[in-house]
Amino acid sequence: EFAAGIFDRHNKSAIQSIVQNQISSADRLAIYRNNTYSNLRGALQSIYPVVSKLVGDNFFNQTANEFVSAIRSVSGDLHDYGEHYADFLGSYEPARHLAYLPNVAKLEWCCHRVFHAADHAGLDLDKLAEIRPEQYGELHFDLHPASALLTSDYPTLKIWQVNQDDYTGDQSVDLNDGGNKLLVKRDDHFAVSVEALSSGQYAFLHALRGKKKLDIAAENALSADETFDLGMSLQRFVAQKILVDINL
């Protein structure tokens, strides 16, 4: 009853169970409601600083309050809260004219999860050397836990870049510039970065993340981009510690 009263202002059952003593039952409950909403809004704002910057504090707090009312936390860890905020923004009528906003939120969620993801050593090249050449096509690659892939219909990377505190370049963004295929990754110093991928590179990593064999992943990449270079891409993603393990 108490939890229901926190999130539903129209639920009066909790108020009937709260003692009145100088402060009314409704006011007592409101104290806890305000603290709960404040904490969850703060968690959302720490995850989505670019969204907050784009829409302003007042509008962001309004969306956050609506989100908190609609989507309950299911974890004791506040880092787990807010996964569905991008989907919420996509259906939130007052933000409907900001069609690019859910894409920005998806990128920020990826950055958040990548920062907190588990660590993993790089690919053991000795293990790769044990594989016979005729088995290469059967290989499965594991991507680093602290990596994520994202597609966008808008120039989300540029929007995200120009709204970073240390950005000093051209601030203009043309929403008609087209979408992005992005790789979000974390380095050994826990710095999260975002980089654009070609259609082939994205298709390749997406297939490997989906547990496809190397030969299938390469076929998907070439279908998306006939200039895709398998050897160079493998070298790059192994060196970047995006591909961190193999198995047959």
Side-chain angles (χ1 to χ4, degrees):
E1 287 180 349
F2 177 76
I6 289 290
F7 292 101
D8 183 358
R9 295 175 183 272
H10 303 293
N11 188 320
K12 304 299 182 183
S13 60
I15 294 177
Q16 298 170 5
S17 302
I18 297 175
V19 173
Q20 295 190 67
N21 182 10
Q22 298 181 336
I23 302 176
S24 71
S25 299
D27 287 344
R28 285 179 180 275
L29 188 62
I31 292 171
Y32 289 93
R33 179 183 296 120
N34 291 338
N35 284 337
T36 299
Y37 273 67
S38 176
N39 286 337
L40 292 174
R41 277 199 313 270
L44 289 172
Q45 194 150 27
S46 70
I47 296 169
Y48 299 102
V50 172
V51 172
S52 180
K53 190 173 183 179
L54 288 168
V55 301
D57 288 341
N58 288 338
F59 190 83
F60 183 86
N61 287 337
Q62 176 184 326
T63 69
N65 284 337
E66 295 286 347
F67 180 80
V68 170
S69 295
I71 309 295
R72 307 291 169 82
S73 174
V74 295
S75 169
D77 185 352
L78 281 178
H79 292 311
D80 293 335
Y81 187 66
E83 178 179 3
H84 303 292
Y85 184 62
D87 295 331
F88 172 83
L89 287 176
S91 60
Y92 187 59
E93 190 61 37
R96 188 64 61 87
H97 64 292
L98 304 174
Y100 60 88
L101 204 59
N103 288 266
V104 177
K106 287 178 181 179
L107 175 54
E108 292 205 279
W109 179 255
C110 285
C111 291
H112 170 71
R113 296 308 291 175
V114 162
F115 179 80
H116 291 285
D119 204 1
H120 199 293
L123 180 64
D124 183 355
L125 296 181
D126 290 337
K127 186 175 181 180
L128 183 60
E130 295 172 359
I131 306 297
R132 298 192 306 274
E134 61 269 22
Q135 294 178 299
Y136 287 166
E138 302 295 315
L139 283 173
H140 292 268
F141 282 81
D142 291 335
L143 274 65
H144 199 295
S147 67
L149 298 169
L150 178 70
T151 61
S152 168
D153 297 327
Y154 294 92
T156 303
L157 178 57
K158 182 66 181 295
I159 297 171
W160 181 81
Q161 287 173 332
V162 302
N163 284 283
Q164 299 303 303
D165 291 338
D166 58 352
Y167 184 80
T168 58
D170 179 16
Q171 294 283 337
S172 62
V173 177
D174 185 349
L175 294 180
N176 296 315
D177 280 347
N180 299 135
K181 291 178 171 58
L182 303 175
L183 169 65
V184 184
K185 56 188 176 66
R186 189 189 72 209
D187 66 20
D188 292 334
H189 304 288
F190 279 80
V192 175
S193 61
V194 184
E195 62 181 74
L197 298 175
S198 69
S199 296
Q201 291 165 342
Y202 181 88
F204 179 64
L205 290 179
H206 186 266
L208 292 179
R209 172 145 280 172
K211 303 302 181 182
K212 302 295 184 184
K213 297 184 297 182
L214 180 60
D215 57 356
I216 301 299
E219 287 178 13
N220 289 359
L222 286 168
S223 295
D225 177 7
E226 61 182 13
T227 67
F228 175 78
D229 187 313
L230 176 60
M232 288 182 61
S233 296
L234 280 173
Q235 280 189 326
R236 170 187 174 182
F237 294 131
V238 169
Q240 289 183 324
K241 290 178 63 175
I242 304 301
L243 301 177
V244 294
D245 202 2
I246 54 170
N247 60 82
L248 284 171

